[in-house]
Amino acid sequence: MNNAPAYGLWSLVIINSLVFIIFAFSFTKPKNARDWRSFGVFSAFIVALFTEMYGIPVTVYLLSGWLQSRYPSLDPLSHDAGHLWWTILGLGGNPHFNPVHLLSNLVVLSGFILLSSAWRVLYGAQQNHQLAITGPYSRVRHPQYGAFVLIMSGFLLQWPTILTLPMFPFLVWMYVHLAHQEEREALAEFGEEYAQYAARVPAFFPHFGAADRQGEDFPHV
């Protein structure tokens, strides 16, 4: 284990935050107040995450008494100590290559891939004033919000903190609320076309291995 202090690295906080925020921005390109609100809270989550990862390890400080009583040789100021699953599960080797960390990277990557593919479809539909119903939108009505939840879930799995854990359910609630707002607007704009699409395609959870359902009440999840 590398026990060298690894916090107060504000340059890494800024660089990592900007990388993920700019990457997400390139796929979402907020246009209105609702878009900016959605993107803003996602950005706040990212900043809070990397602040604890490289700046001030508030969670590790608060848990330091318990951690040192359970793991006497653990240095709470080491970056490795911040990998809580690696510590709690007693995993050896480099914490960046433990199964939990690798799984979290896969979830984050999947979220960004979904966000990218959803944005391409949505952008084309908006340019032509049409419904986005192809690609990821043929499986769920709100893949862009699902992508944000996937990304945040992956980061929480990788580096759970007392700041991001309570933020997560609020952000999920906010995305569901925004999705419902968008559906009301789409129903007002596209009418029966959107109602039929909503009856056929679930909002957030795809029907894996099942035929598209027909004739269900609008909307369903």
Side-chain angles (χ1 to χ4, degrees):
M1 180 187 301
N2 178 14
N3 289 324
Y7 297 101
L9 304 176
W10 296 106
S11 61
L12 287 180
V13 174
I14 294 171
I15 291 171
N16 280 278
S17 297
L18 285 177
V19 166
F20 283 97
I21 290 172
I22 292 173
F23 196 58
F25 179 84
S26 68
F27 293 131
T28 56
K29 295 182 174 61
K31 294 182 178 62
N32 52 41
R34 181 178 59 211
D35 293 341
W36 281 107
R37 185 163 64 250
S38 169
F39 182 74
V41 293
F42 173 79
S43 300
F45 178 92
I46 294 296
V47 171
L49 171 78
F50 285 112
T51 295
E52 284 230 29
M53 193 177 291
Y54 297 112
I56 304 174
V58 177
T59 302
V60 174
Y61 284 151
L62 292 178
L63 295 178
S64 60
W66 177 80
L67 287 171
Q68 289 190 310
S69 67
R70 293 286 302 274
Y71 313 98
S73 63
L74 183 70
D75 180 1
L77 292 180
S78 70
H79 183 75
D80 289 350
H83 293 265
L84 293 178
W85 294 121
W86 178 81
T87 300
I88 294 172
L89 297 177
L91 301 174
N94 190 322
H96 296 91
F97 295 102
N98 73 74
V100 176
H101 197 282
L102 293 176
L103 175 61
S104 70
N105 286 336
L106 181 61
V107 174
V108 171
L109 178 61
S110 299
F112 274 111
I113 290 174
L114 177 59
L115 185 62
S116 174
S117 59
W119 167 246
R120 288 196 297 269
V121 173
L122 181 62
Y123 180 77
Q126 289 176 338
Q127 292 296 105
N128 296 310
H129 303 287
Q130 298 174 341
L131 278 177
I133 59 174
T134 61
Y137 288 90
S138 67
R139 303 300 302 175
V140 292
R141 301 198 300 274
H142 304 286
Q144 74 280 22
Y145 293 141
F148 278 126
V149 172
L150 268 179
I151 294 168
M152 293 186 298
S153 298
F155 278 130
L156 278 181
L157 182 63
Q158 181 177 131
W159 202 279
T161 77
I162 61 169
L163 293 177
T164 55
L165 281 172
M167 288 177 69
F168 182 76
F170 170 76
L171 290 172
V172 172
W173 173 86
M174 186 200 69
Y175 286 134
V176 172
H177 178 69
L178 290 174
H180 288 164
Q181 284 186 323
E182 289 183 359
E183 291 190 335
R184 287 192 291 270
E185 293 171 3
L187 189 60
E189 180 177 356
F190 295 101
E192 184 61 22
E193 181 184 3
Y194 188 80
Q196 292 180 3
Y197 167 69
R200 184 177 70 252
V201 178
F204 303 105
F205 303 103
H207 300 311
F208 291 113
D212 290 340
R213 297 179 181 177
Q214 301 288 341
E216 296 183 3
D217 293 337
F218 166 81
H220 61 280
V221 298

